[in-house]
Structure formats: C-alpha cells, structure tokens
Amino acid sequence: MTSRSSTRRRTLATGVLLLGLLGLIAAGSSVMKIHLWADFDGPQVGGGGIKAEIGSFKPMAGASVFDVIYPVPDQGVLRISENQTGSEARLLAELTSPVDAAVAHVSFLLTPVATFGDLIVVLAEDGESGMIDIKFDPGGRVRVGSNSRLLPGMPGDTIEVRVELRRSLFGQKSYTLELQGPLGIEEMSGPLGFGHGDLGTVEFRHPGSTNDGSWYVDDLLVTSSAPKNFKLFGGLLDLSQ
C-alpha cells in the first residue's frame, strides 16, 4: 500500500513539473515586435513622398511609378503604375531596425489591377544584398528561385502574401511563402543558406516597359518574434528558436 501511494505521488509530482514547464514556455516564448507598418490610409507626405506609420519609404528610381490613391475615401493603397521610364523603378521600404530574432514575418495585400505584369519584391539586409526575390510575372505566376506557383486569383482579385524567414540554431535560414486568394492557397518553401544578415528592407521593383501591368499594395507589415531567454536546469533555453 505504501509503495503504491509513493508511486502515485511521484507520478503526480512529475505531471505537475511538466505542466509547469509547458506553462513557462507558453507564457514566455516570444513577444511580437513591429519593424514596418503601412496601411496608406492617412494623409501622405507632400511632394510625391509616401508615408509609413512605422518605418519609412525611399524612392530609389522612377518615383513617378509609385503613388498612393484612395479607391474608397480614407482607405488608400500604394499604386505601382505601368512603368514607361525605360528603366527599372524601385521603391525601398526601410525597417525601423533590422530583424535580429530567429523568425521574421512579412505580409501585404497584392492586387494585379487589370492584367498580370512583372513585379519583384526583394527582402534584403540593406537594400543591395538580397536575401530572397519574389517575382510575379505576366503569366500569373509567382517565382522564388526555381520554385514556381500559379497565383490563386485573377486580375482584379486581392491576394494575401505572407512570408516567413526563419533562422535555425545553427544559423541556416529558410523561407516559407504563402499566397491566399479567391482560388485557394498556394505555398512554397526552401533554404536560403548561410551568410545572410538580418532583414532590414523590403523593396518593390517594377521593370521598365510600357505593358508590364499595374499593381495595388496594401497593409504592408513586418514583425518578428523577439526571444525571451530562461535559465533551465543550468542551461540557457532560447524559446524563439
């Protein structure tokens, strides 16, 4: 009888310890940090500038291609117009601080206005060194390296684009791209390898052409999971990894 009671007490104690650890992980795993946010709904900067609530925009080339319009009062979108400048137009969105956490999330709404065209979204460390290029083409496809998927929508449809950049314990980076639209959900993923720094910019590039289509961009958001570290059994547990 005594032996059975002792066994039950040890089992109960072990269960309480495990529940406590799970509670610790759930309560302290991460906190979200916003590095960039733009909904384009508020008044924009005069002189052709574009305003972000958090972060900033900087036209690098072909500034006339990028402007903010209001299809509905007080609900703006970034318009990327047909590029007739003869050279690539570039708009750089700079984060308030680079993402140094293990996980970065980038999301925005994308609408091909009347037809599909060329558009490149570059996630990079500093605006020059690219980590990942997301290419939308006139065939209605999205490409990352050799991976390719059909867009889950037609011209005029709004597609939600979500990108997750993840760094492993050993420093290797990977990406997951998810697109959700009226025609369903498409997803692709793959490695980014080593040698990349922290995400610091999101850039929109529109090739120079007279028939490369127009796009709307809205609700651009970049967040990260900022780690909370705990001492556990004499070691350091980084719960964001």
Side-chain angles (χ1 to χ4, degrees):
M1 186 72 175
T2 304
S3 177
R4 291 179 180 178
S5 300
S6 177
T7 300
R8 284 198 296 268
R9 284 197 297 270
R10 285 197 298 269
T11 301
L12 179 61
T14 302
V16 170
L17 176 62
L18 290 175
L19 287 174
L21 177 58
L22 290 173
L24 176 66
I25 293 174
S29 59
S30 64
V31 292
M32 186 179 75
K33 180 177 181 180
I34 299 177
H35 300 261
L36 177 67
W37 166 242
D39 62 10
F40 309 106
D41 291 342
Q44 298 301 303
V45 180
I50 298 172
K51 180 182 177 181
E53 282 72 20
I54 299 174
S56 61
F57 287 99
K58 179 190 299 183
M60 305 296 289
S64 61
V65 173
F66 306 98
D67 66 337
V68 174
I69 63 170
Y70 297 87
V72 178
D74 300 322
Q75 295 183 25
V77 295
L78 171 65
R79 178 173 60 184
I80 304 176
S81 302
E82 289 188 0
N83 182 6
Q84 302 180 28
T85 65
S87 59
E88 187 175 61
R90 300 171 56 191
L91 178 66
L92 188 71
E94 296 181 304
L95 280 57
T96 55
S97 61
V99 177
D100 59 359
V103 181
H105 298 278
V106 180
S107 64
F108 55 92
L109 301 178
L110 182 66
T111 306
V113 176
T115 184
F116 295 118
D118 287 306
L119 178 66
I120 304 172
V121 181
V122 180
L123 308 184
E125 293 96 323
D126 54 13
E128 296 298 332
S129 304
M131 298 170 62
I132 177 175
D133 292 358
I134 304 170
K135 299 180 179 181
F136 301 89
D137 66 27
R141 302 189 72 89
V142 58
R143 304 177 187 275
V144 178
S146 60
N147 290 336
S148 173
R149 296 287 189 279
L150 280 170
L151 291 176
M154 301 299 292
D157 291 335
T158 295
I159 298 168
E160 184 176 357
V161 181
R162 293 188 291 266
V163 188
E164 180 183 275
L165 302 179
R166 182 174 291 271
R167 183 181 68 243
S168 72
L169 287 169
F170 304 102
Q172 185 175 9
K173 286 189 170 67
S174 61
Y175 79 90
T176 298
L177 171 64
E178 182 181 283
L179 302 102
Q180 183 171 353
L183 300 182
I185 298 175
E186 294 290 343
E187 183 176 304
M188 65 178 74
S189 59
L192 294 178
F194 298 89
H196 293 291
D198 298 327
L199 177 65
T201 63
V202 178
E203 185 175 0
F204 297 92
R205 298 182 180 180
H206 204 28
S209 173
T210 58
N211 57 356
D212 56 359
S214 298
W215 302 81
Y216 291 163
V217 176
D218 201 7
D219 293 345
L220 175 61
L221 176 66
V222 179
T223 64
S224 67
S225 300
K228 290 183 178 180
N229 298 325
F230 294 92
K231 291 288 186 179
L232 182 65
F233 306 132
L236 183 65
L237 178 64
D238 186 347
L239 296 172
S240 76
Q241 301 292 333

